[in-house]
Every structure is written in C-alpha cells, then in structure tokens.
Amino acid sequence: MTRVGVAAENESPSESSYSENDEKLQMDWYPFTNEEKQILLDSWKYLEPLKQSIGCDIYEMIFNQCPEARKLFPKMKFVHSKPDKKSCEFAFQALRFIQVIEGAVMSMDNLSALDPILDNLGRRHGKLEVNGKFRTYYWSTFLECSICIFRKTLTNCRKYPEKDIDKAIILWRYLLRDVMKKIKIGYNADISNRMNALSLDDRSYTLTSNRKESYPSDSNRTNDFDDIL
C-alpha cells in the first residue's frame, strides 16, 4: 500500500491524467456480446464480396448529401456533378474507407488495438480543417450514409435472413459510431495541438515585439546619441 502511495505522489499530474484518459479510450467501445459479434461477422460475409461497390455507393451518397465534401478530394473526377466511378482515384478512396470498416469488424475481440490507427487517421483529417475543407458534420454524414448502404445491400442479398437485418444494422451502427468517435478523438487532438501552437507563436511574437520596444536597435540608439551630440 505504501509503495503504491509513493508512486502516486511521484507521478506527475500530466502522466496521471494521460493514463486515465488512455484507459478510458480503451474501455469506451460498445461491449459486444459473443452473439452480437457473430451477427456482425455473419453479415460481413455477405458484404465483404461487394465491398468495392459498397464503398463507391457510400461515397456517391455522401456527395449527394454534401456536395461541398468534394473539396476534400481534388483529384477525384466528377461527370455532371456525379463522381466518375470508373476513375482510379474514386475506386481507391472508396476502398480505403471500406477497409477501415473491415478492420473494425475483423478486430471484434480486440477493438482497442485500433485506437492508435483511428487516432492517427483523425489527426490527418485535422490538417484538412486547417485548410478550411473539412466540416465536423461530415462525421455524421459518413455514418448515416454507411448505415443506409449497408441496409440496402443486406436487403438485396436474397440469402441473408430478412429477420436478422434490423438487429445487424443496429449493431453496425454501434460499431461505426465508435469508429467515428475514435477518429474524432484524433481529429480534436490535432486541432487542439495546432491551436496551442498558434497561441505559443502569438506569445512569442508579442515577447519579441516588446523586446524591440524596450531595447531599441543599435541603429536607433546611434541616431539618438547623434541627436544628443
């Protein structure tokens, strides 16, 4: 008991809070039961062979819902305001997105292992915010469009039991919601770091300006001295 107390006293507040936050991040995934995990995995068996087209359908729906989101993908081609599904850039981006989802469903027994990956993905999106291209409501748009396309795909799968669709979609919403939540954590951390950096730059600039005012440059002091003479 004494040793634990000493360790706690010697631990800095920042280290302590980081440990608590890190533990919280690892615990806040939805606690899927084994039965629920199996439902997700079973539904993924029907979705996985179609993941390329699913990803494309999700992105097409996103662009229909939020046309301004096209600014995020300057290399993507659009024909009559619609994404060109035949373009390599569109197919590549759609596949990357669906692979994030695939990584989650295939990590059901250890979802916390995805935390650093999703955190890094969120931090990369933070750069888009600085460029004025990203909007926070895109997170909910991505989530709702994904759920909609998943339901549509499972409904069109004749072999997938219709009675299981609603339950599967509810579980997919839980999983994708937490994926988005983890990405947002990294996104918010990156924005916070950038704001702190800007604040430090401002303070540095202010200090530099104050020094210049308090201590005139050599040329100014020479001019003042010449005036006195």
Side-chain angles (χ1 to χ4, degrees):
M1 291 292 292
T2 304
R3 293 184 62 184
V4 174
V6 171
E9 290 178 1
N10 292 336
E11 187 178 36
S12 67
S14 60
E15 291 173 340
S16 177
S17 60
Y18 175 81
S19 177
E20 291 172 0
N21 290 337
D22 186 60
E23 183 179 0
K24 181 180 178 182
L25 290 181
Q26 292 182 8
M27 293 177 61
D28 64 359
W29 286 91
Y30 178 83
F32 293 99
T33 65
N34 289 333
E35 180 185 358
E36 290 171 336
K37 292 177 184 178
Q38 194 58 51
I39 291 174
L40 283 170
L41 289 170
D42 287 343
S43 64
W44 179 248
K45 291 178 183 178
Y46 292 87
L47 297 170
E48 195 274 336
L50 304 170
K51 62 183 180 182
Q52 179 75 61
S53 61
I54 289 174
C56 290
D57 289 344
I58 290 173
Y59 266 83
E60 184 174 20
M61 187 174 183
I62 289 170
F63 293 141
N64 287 336
Q65 296 292 321
C66 297
E68 63 274 21
R70 299 172 190 172
K71 296 179 182 179
L72 297 173
F73 311 98
K75 296 181 181 180
M76 199 175 289
K77 296 180 180 179
F78 290 86
V79 179
H80 302 300
S81 300
K82 293 185 178 181
D84 182 6
K85 291 187 176 182
K86 296 181 180 180
S87 70
C88 294
E89 178 64 25
F90 182 79
F92 175 70
Q93 186 62 43
L95 184 59
R96 285 177 63 185
F97 176 71
I98 208 70
Q99 283 175 338
V100 173
I101 298 176
E102 182 178 27
V105 74
M106 299 308 294
S107 302
M108 295 299 299
D109 290 328
N110 189 22
L111 285 168
S112 61
L114 292 176
D115 286 359
I117 298 173
L118 299 177
D119 182 87
N120 180 61
L121 183 59
R123 291 173 188 271
R124 287 162 55 190
H125 280 76
K127 298 177 182 178
L128 297 174
E129 168 72 16
V130 175
N131 295 333
K133 295 181 179 180
F134 195 83
R135 298 292 180 269
T136 52
Y137 60 82
Y138 289 166
W139 299 121
S140 58
T141 303
F142 271 70
L143 173 60
E144 296 305 326
C145 290
S146 299
I147 291 298
C148 180
I149 297 302
F150 274 31
R151 174 180 284 279
K152 179 181 177 181
T153 305
L154 289 176
T155 301
N156 291 336
C157 289
R158 297 180 180 179
K159 294 184 179 181
Y160 191 80
E162 185 177 354
K163 62 181 179 63
D164 294 339
I165 292 178
D166 286 343
K167 190 169 185 178
I169 291 301
I170 290 173
L171 295 175
W172 274 110
R173 177 176 289 278
Y174 290 159
L175 181 61
L176 296 184
R177 177 201 62 189
D178 287 351
V179 167
M180 297 297 177
K181 184 193 303 181
K182 294 292 183 176
I183 296 175
K184 285 172 67 176
I185 289 173
Y187 170 85
N188 290 331
D190 183 79
I191 297 300
S192 178
N193 290 339
R194 291 176 184 276
M195 294 300 292
N196 289 336
L198 288 174
S199 178
L200 289 174
D201 288 343
D202 288 341
R203 277 185 282 178
S204 176
Y205 176 78
T206 301
L207 288 173
T208 302
S209 299
N210 289 339
R211 289 195 188 99
K212 288 182 178 179
E213 292 176 2
S214 301
Y215 304 100
S217 64
D218 290 340
S219 60
N220 288 337
R221 279 183 284 176
T222 301
N223 291 336
D224 290 343
F225 184 71
D226 287 340
D227 290 339
I228 292 173
L229 289 177

